Amino acid sequence: MDTTWEPTAPGVLRLPSGRLVRGRGLRAGPPTGPAPTFAVYLLGAPPPPVDWESRWLPWPDFRLPRDRAAVGPLLREVWERAASERVEVACGGGRGRTGTALACLAVIDGVPPAEAVAFVRRHYHRRAVETFWQKRYVATFRPAGLDG
């Protein structure tokens, strides 16, 4: 039984490896279709409870994550689980923080850091990664353990 997203579902980004990750804005409410099996919420305050496994990464709107050391391991988990699960990454609006995290996932998946923002804008949302600092964060993103 396939437990990943449908490639054409709203907000689903296909990484070069074929892994599918859904990005979305929480303010828009839950989309129709299946729920995620795992989610990461990028918010300035704790997210509301959900019926699936989730993690909260404290990340204020228009800014960078508060605990930058936690980003690489958490996004690596997202990338690994996306091979066989419905994984979601979400923030309030679904563009800035979510786009930044998706661009970092693209780096983990092999997209050069200098091309990751353009990749996410082309395949997820044309206004993903909203601030200069978010763009710079992606361009310099080098998570540990990329060798395998």
Side-chain angles (χ1 to χ4, degrees):
M1 179 169 101
D2 188 17
T3 58
T4 62
W5 298 111
E6 286 294 321
T8 58
V12 172
L13 172 69
R14 180 187 293 274
L15 294 167
S17 66
R19 285 173 166 84
L20 303 170
V21 179
R22 181 172 77 184
R24 77 176 179 101
L26 296 171
R27 288 191 296 267
T32 59
T37 54
F38 178 66
V40 172
Y41 297 114
L42 315 167
L43 299 166
V50 292
D51 294 333
W52 47 86
E53 185 180 355
S54 67
R55 304 250 199 307
W56 169 46
L57 181 63
W59 191 330
D61 202 7
F62 297 107
R63 305 248 172 117
L64 296 174
R66 288 189 187 130
D67 181 0
R68 296 193 195 155
V71 177
L74 183 56
L75 291 181
R76 181 65 162 195
E77 181 180 2
V78 166
W79 181 81
E80 289 170 358
R81 293 179 76 158
S84 61
E85 298 180 48
R86 284 187 307 273
V87 179
E88 168 177 276
V89 175
C91 65
R95 290 193 295 263
R97 294 167 285 182
T98 296
T100 302
L102 291 175
C104 291
L105 281 171
V107 171
I108 292 171
D109 202 62
V111 175
E115 299 171 22
V117 171
F119 175 86
V120 170
R121 286 179 173 172
R122 191 168 47 255
H123 299 288
Y124 170 68
H125 193 285
R126 65 184 176 87
R127 289 187 296 177
V129 191
E130 294 175 316
T131 72
F132 167 81
W133 297 109
Q134 290 170 345
K135 291 175 200 169
R136 185 172 177 201
Y137 183 79
V138 173
T140 60
F141 183 71
R142 303 288 187 281
L146 280 182
D147 54 339

